[in-house]
Amino acid sequence: MQAHQYSRTAEAAAGLRAIHRRIDRPVIFDDPYAEALTSASLRLLARRPGLATWLMRDPLGLVNAARGHVVGRARFAEDKLAQAVAAGCGQYVIVGAGLDSFAARRPPGTEDVQVFELDHPATQAAKRQRLGLAAQVDWQRVSFVPIDFESQALAEALEACPEFDAQQPAFFSWLGTTPYLSREAIFATLASIAQLAAPGSEIALDFSVAHKSLARRRGAVMGLFLLAYTRWLSEPLIDNGLPRDAFVGECAKLGFLPQEVLDVAAVCARYFAASQPPLKSLPGTCFAHFVLE
């Protein structure tokens, strides 16, 4: 992402959430503020379901898979968050928050949870402006923490936030960010979380496996198109992936014990078995839930 510019890929993700809400049944992840958060062109497309449905039928199924991945990862993370909150967790840290609308949506039972949004200041400013026009947000329950993941430790940024209590467990979500970071930055961020967070803290995230481990040619071709698109947005993906078991093993070395790891087949079976039009997820991606020992 360029300096002083909000994330264009975050804007695209909001657009996919908005389109999902309009054209997919059942709705896997209901985000009524996604239209307000996305670009004018994607907002217009979301408001024309017939046109959106037609345009989503690309030959490779890339847009369909990207939409499924975006809404699937959000549903996965917030399902895990709901369980953590029910067990008494009162802090929710959204790492790389992008144009997430949790602060406005506040699912039942999370009204008193303190939210910490970590992201680039330009993206945070754009989100606050757009969301503030669309919703009544209790900003007292939201702490915006500016950070550059490539050059700044998460622990350093979060420790500077007086509302965060490092003595109490927190739930972290980290979605749609790791594919844009170097492998070193990914594990440095996880190590920073492990250093700061109290035992019993949890994290839900998505990650990519190494491109060479993609067994199907179609998945590799989709990956190339996605890489070209993100380059066009000046936010290129990085082939930083490890095989699934190797990624989980590296996390375990940092103290993160795996609770659940879903590959594409498992994601589709859980969330998209009844979807019309049929939804998939991006090849070579996984959703994972860990607990810090």
Side-chain angles (χ1 to χ4, degrees), residues 7 9-10 13 69-70 73-74 95-98 119 173-181 204-208 235 237 286-287:
S7 171
T9 52
H69 181 81
V70 165
R73 72 192 183 195
V95 184
D119 213 327
S173 69
W174 194 15
L175 307 177
T177 301
T178 60
Y180 300 93
L181 300 177
L205 73 159
D206 61 333
F207 66 92
S208 300
E235 299 172 38
L237 294 169
C286 296
F287 303 161

Side-chain angles (χ1 to χ4, degrees), residues 38-292:
T38 194
S39 65
S41 57
L42 288 173
R43 186 180 311 121
L44 184 65
L45 183 60
R47 292 173 179 173
R48 285 160 175 75
L51 178 61
T53 301
W54 181 75
L55 288 175
M56 295 294 114
R57 294 173 179 169
D58 65 287
L60 284 174
L62 175 59
V63 180
N64 171 291
R67 190 168 79 255
H69 181 81
V70 165
V71 300
R73 72 192 183 195
R75 172 66 180 272
F76 177 80
E78 292 198 12
D79 282 352
K80 301 303 181 185
L81 170 67
Q83 295 171 9
V85 171
C89 182
Q91 300 184 110
Y92 179 30
V93 182
I94 310 177
V95 184
L99 298 176
D100 178 272
S101 66
F102 181 88
R105 287 183 289 106
R106 290 288 180 167
T110 66
E111 295 85 357
D112 295 329
V113 172
Q114 184 70 31
V115 178
F116 302 85
E117 297 202 4
L118 280 69
D119 213 327
H120 190 280
T123 299
Q124 292 177 331
K127 196 258 281 293
R128 290 195 67 169
Q129 180 185 30
R130 297 180 190 188
L131 200 55
L133 294 174
Q136 295 294 321
V137 182
D138 180 6
W139 296 115
Q140 297 299 315
R141 285 290 183 182
V142 184
S143 299
F144 289 92
V145 184
I147 187 172
D148 181 341
F149 293 103
E150 288 286 0
S151 61
Q152 187 177 10
L154 181 145
E156 175 189 341
L158 202 50
E159 280 178 331
C161 181
E163 292 85 7
F164 184 75
D165 186 353
Q167 303 304 311
Q168 297 297 321
F171 186 94
F172 293 77
S173 69
W174 194 15
L175 307 177
T177 301
T178 60
Y180 300 93
L181 300 177
S182 66
R183 193 177 295 176
E184 294 74 18
I186 292 170
F187 289 110
T189 297
L190 289 170
S192 192
I193 292 174
Q195 169 194 336
L196 174 68
S201 293
E202 304 175 47
I203 185 169
L205 73 159
D206 61 333
F207 66 92
S208 300
V209 301
H211 287 181
K212 63 183 179 182
S213 67
L214 291 179
R216 297 186 179 181
R217 189 174 181 180
R218 183 184 183 89
V221 173
M222 287 176 65
L224 290 175
F225 273 88
L226 192 60
L227 178 61
Y229 175 68
T230 56
R231 281 178 175 167
W232 178 68
L233 293 178
S234 299
E235 299 172 38
L237 294 169
I238 299 173
D239 187 4
N240 58 16
L242 289 168
R244 166 181 162 166
D245 291 346
F247 183 92
V248 173
E250 290 299 316
C251 291
K253 291 178 184 177
L254 297 172
F256 291 101
L257 305 180
Q259 304 300 297
E260 186 171 36
V261 182
L262 303 183
D263 60 12
V264 172
V267 169
C268 292
R270 176 172 299 183
Y271 297 120
F272 307 140
S275 291
Q276 291 297 327
L279 279 174
K280 300 294 183 182
S281 192
L282 289 173
T285 60
C286 296
F287 303 161
H289 173 218
F290 297 92
V291 172
L292 185 63

